[in-house]
Amino acid sequence: MDLAELHAIAERERARRKAVRVLCCTSSGCQASRSLELFHQLEAAVTATGQDEAVEVASVGCMGFCGQGPMVRVEPANLLFERVRPEQAPEIIAALAGQPCSVERGDPNHPFFTRQMHVVRRNGGIIDPERIEEYIAAGGYEALYRVLHDFSPAEVIQEITRSGLRGRGGAGYPTGLKWATVAKSPGERKFVVCNGDEGDPGAFMDRSILESDPHLVLEGMAIAAYAVGAHEGYIFVRGEYPLAIQRLNRAINQARKLGLLGSQIFETAFDFKVEIRVGAGAFVCGEETALIASIEGRRGQPRPRPPYPAEKGLWGFPTLINNVETFANIVPIIENGADWYAAIGTEKSKGTKVFALTGKVRNTGLIEVPMGMTLREIVEDLGGGSPDGTPVKAVQTGGPSGGCIPARLFDTPVDYESLAAAGSIMGSGGMVVMDDHTSMVEIARFYMAFCMDESCGKCVPCRVGTVQMHRLLSKIAAGQATPVDLEQLEQLCRLVRETSLCGLGQSAPNPVLSTLRYFREEYEALLREDAAASANGKP
Amino acid sequence: MSNRAPADPAPTADNRQKLLEATMRRHQYRPDALIEVLHKAQELYGHLSPQLLASIARSLHLPPSRVYGVATFYHFFSLAPQGEHTCTVCLGTACYVKGAMEILTALEAETGLKAGHTSPDGRLSLLTARCLGACGIAPAVVLDGVVIGHADAETLRARLHALLEATPVAS
Ligand SMILES: Cc1cc2nc3c(=O)[nH]c(=O)nc-3n(C[C@H](O)[C@H](O)[C@H](O)COP(=O)(O)O)c2cc1C
Ligand code: SF4
Ligand code: FES
């Protein structure tokens, strides 16, 4: 495979395109609403009306507006249909010929779409993720070619460093710096690992990227491997994501057949092979050292760092671990240059971020926006505010490691530093909107139950502390706690945060601390009056 | 989530053994393939019985304690047989905020089962999940491997009822 052949594939693919494309989302969200059946009905309707010459129906990835799925979009007319039922397929196809159509129409000019900026989701809902030809026609694998021929590994790292990209897995560690560390670490073998565990409840960005554009992630991993000097890679995906696994498998096979993965890629000396490892359902396996243990076939228990995986990772070799979305940013950076990327976002948080906007908002789904957009813009403009008029109370970001940001702070820009200052974190990008019906004590209790169940049990503060905190929260929720209990809860929070071995335990208190910070009155309202009196010295 | 349709002829005992062997051979019986092998074993047999775990330990030359330890560490692996039908209610944040708890309570009342349990006749397992990644269509429930979005207690109760009525016990 060389550049001419790559371009030939792209040419053939463009020539194959028909004048009208009916794009039907077959990602897991829409599949749950019978979009596969819809896809087949659309195909049948095209054939039945004798339009095979001019119209094609394509199965594409996520368009973002999952709450209104299944979604169908028609190009180039830019018609959008929402909540389509399979029975409505003939009507949509008839509408192409100008017939009236009663299917619910979406508005492509809705702020939900126009306020977004697609960098990593640029192919989502546009190409068929199961056909590598469509990815190539969209310019795919050219960045890898350029990197292998025109860049030294050090130059790649420099470009990523200059872009200002920070890890999208939660902590926001500078990606270029991590790559440089792995590149420097001596080792006979090196590994590149893609973290697709996505254990945060309320988050599905990585799933959607893997389902909608698997080659973007593979190409990013290959570029990373070249930069750090690795020849083997693993993608660790949750077992709960069967469609993502299936599409990744297919993508790997297709890329291998075309010589875009494997040995002597693009007729250079660079070899890179990738394997999938399926997670077995443990949140803690998203933690990098636990993830390594899991790939090695052991229990997914974290170990103390240092040594960091960049020095001693898989089987003791230097290992680069990045999140799915981090890898998905690489190709756009190489294509458009570090300066272009660094111009998007804020001073310290560059680029865009994909969020899963869910909970009590009108428009639920996936959005990709430049860093620095405020929570208000996201919840009110894109999200359309509360669905039933109940005032929005808070947004939870960062999952179990994050916190709740109250509505009065909605002018907070979404970037790593501002969210941290507000007592939460960016996390992987889940945003759960809560309204006045949601009890913050219940939410804190919910996350504590989660952490208690998911604690790997290796260290005492986390194993025992989460259980005790959960017990106290339950006691408060049941109206049986006293001010002493609340005090004890806060003490425990500090203790567990400071003495746990890994990020799970260290961050488990966050939802409690942040709800205590902003919604303390909800806790206090639940405390027992009489007991409060007894705590003050009366019998 | 492999839920065989009742129409599928069950793979014969030795056939399943063969398929499992093939997986282990593909991984060259390497101990670090343990989780992959357990995934395959559960897919084939539905759950991981003590005998199955013991034989995997022998094949991969691993101490049984290690195999047992790994199998019990991960939520995905089940050491007890699952019901003929499974109903999994997502209790992730997005689903929780949208009323997943009410759905679970309704289903517990309907079936007389507690979450995480299988009915004594083996017809139904009522399970919960921490997040299915279908949060955009929350609340989400998986019924026999099929995801149902925007779920509500009434419809689900009816579907579950119909499902248990429809399939004869002997299937
Ligand atoms: C308990 C716990 C769970 C985590 N889960 C994930 C996850 O699901 N996906 C992810 O990319 N990172 C997760 N992380 C962060 C990873 O350890 C690691 O920092 C990240 O994958 C690095 O990639 P990045 O630099 O591209 O962000 C988790 C961390 C902790 C402590
Ligand atoms: S903090 Fe919790 S999850 Fe992390 S190692 Fe300790 S017990 Fe395990
Ligand atoms: S919270 Fe239920 S699917 Fe994510």
Side-chain angles (χ1 to χ4, degrees), chain A residues 284 302 454-459 462-463 500-506:
Chain A
V284 70
E454 298 296 332
S455 167
C456 83
K458 181 166 173 167
C459 61
C462 167
R463 185 179 66 225
S500 292
L501 172 63
C502 87
L504 192 150
Q506 288 158 7

Side-chain angles (χ1 to χ4, degrees), chain A residues 497-520:
Chain A
R497 188 172 60 179
E498 273 146 39
T499 56
S500 292
L501 172 63
C502 87
L504 192 150
Q506 288 158 7
S507 63
N510 288 358
V512 183
L513 290 170
S514 84
T515 47
L516 268 172
R517 173 164 162 191
Y518 296 118
F519 303 97
R520 195 178 184 91

Side-chain angles (χ1 to χ4, degrees), chain B residues 85-125:
Chain B
H85 299 285
T86 55
C87 178
T88 309
V89 181
C90 176
L91 289 184
T93 337
C95 292
Y96 183 83
V97 168
K98 288 257 184 120
M101 213 54 209
E102 285 88 86
I103 296 180
L104 183 64
T105 314
L107 294 186
E108 282 182 337
E110 168 79 19
T111 60
L113 285 173
K114 269 190 80 70
H117 287 79
T118 300
S119 62
D121 65 0
R123 296 286 314 274
L124 176 75
S125 293

